[in-house]
Amino acid sequence: MKKLAIQQLAERLIQLDWMLSTAESCTGGMIASQCTDLAGSSAWFDRGFVTYSNRAKLDMLGVSEAMIVQHGAVSEPVAKAMALGAAYRSETMASMAVTGVAGPGGGSPEKPVGTVWLAWCTDGVVHTELHVFSGDRSQIRLATVDCAIEGLLKRLP
């Protein structure tokens, strides 16, 4: 994990007077954990949604079942809906969401192991990226956390 990036993120959110929320599937709360590892994180971190199951995505974030059926849980529309749902349900100005296939199973030709959709919502605007990370389950999850944190840092005003 890149501690400098999380420290920079914290400082920037404090400067903006913004709170952050996270919506995590494949990382299972690792992003929220990195955020709250910093002392004083309650000044800029509001909450994390661990929405590992499809049902959790529906119940906690308001992702539509039809969207999951049509696109799959690991998709750009679902990642975007997760980021928007986290921001809306927590009333935060910034959110990040991740959904992916960490492996070792669960991959397909269309979505191989390592496929991760990331989404960042800043002041109501959502940006998404698709990554295919390599390595084992742990490496994929760690790469996702780093990418999510660095991605939000790049997108803050």
Side-chain angles (χ1 to χ4, degrees), residues 41-119:
S41 57
S42 61
W44 57 273
F45 184 80
D46 182 65
R47 71 188 75 180
F49 297 91
V50 178
T51 56
Y52 206 76
S53 71
N54 290 345
R55 183 73 190 180
K57 290 172 183 65
L58 276 63
D59 293 348
M60 296 172 71
L61 300 172
V63 176
S64 80
E65 187 171 10
M67 182 182 293
I68 292 174
V69 169
Q70 181 177 357
H71 301 284
V74 179
S75 64
E76 182 177 28
V78 169
K80 184 176 182 177
M82 289 172 66
L84 284 167
Y88 175 76
R89 301 229 168 160
S90 63
E91 299 180 6
T92 57
M93 294 295 289
S95 70
M96 61 177 96
V98 297
T99 182
V101 184
S108 68
E110 301 82 32
K111 297 175 187 176
V113 169
T115 300
V116 178
W117 275 101
L118 299 100

Side-chain angles (χ1 to χ4, degrees), residues 9 12-13 16-22 44 79-88 90-97 118-128 147-157:
L9 178 63
R12 187 69 189 123
L13 288 166
L16 291 167
D17 195 26
W18 283 13
M19 295 297 284
L20 170 66
S21 59
T22 61
W44 57 273
K80 184 176 182 177
M82 289 172 66
L84 284 167
Y88 175 76
S90 63
E91 299 180 6
T92 57
M93 294 295 289
S95 70
M96 61 177 96
L118 299 100
W120 302 269
C121 183
T122 55
D123 199 13
V125 178
V126 180
H127 300 274
T128 59
C147 187
I149 292 167
E150 291 171 2
L152 180 59
L153 188 56
K154 288 190 302 191
R155 288 165 175 83
L156 290 174

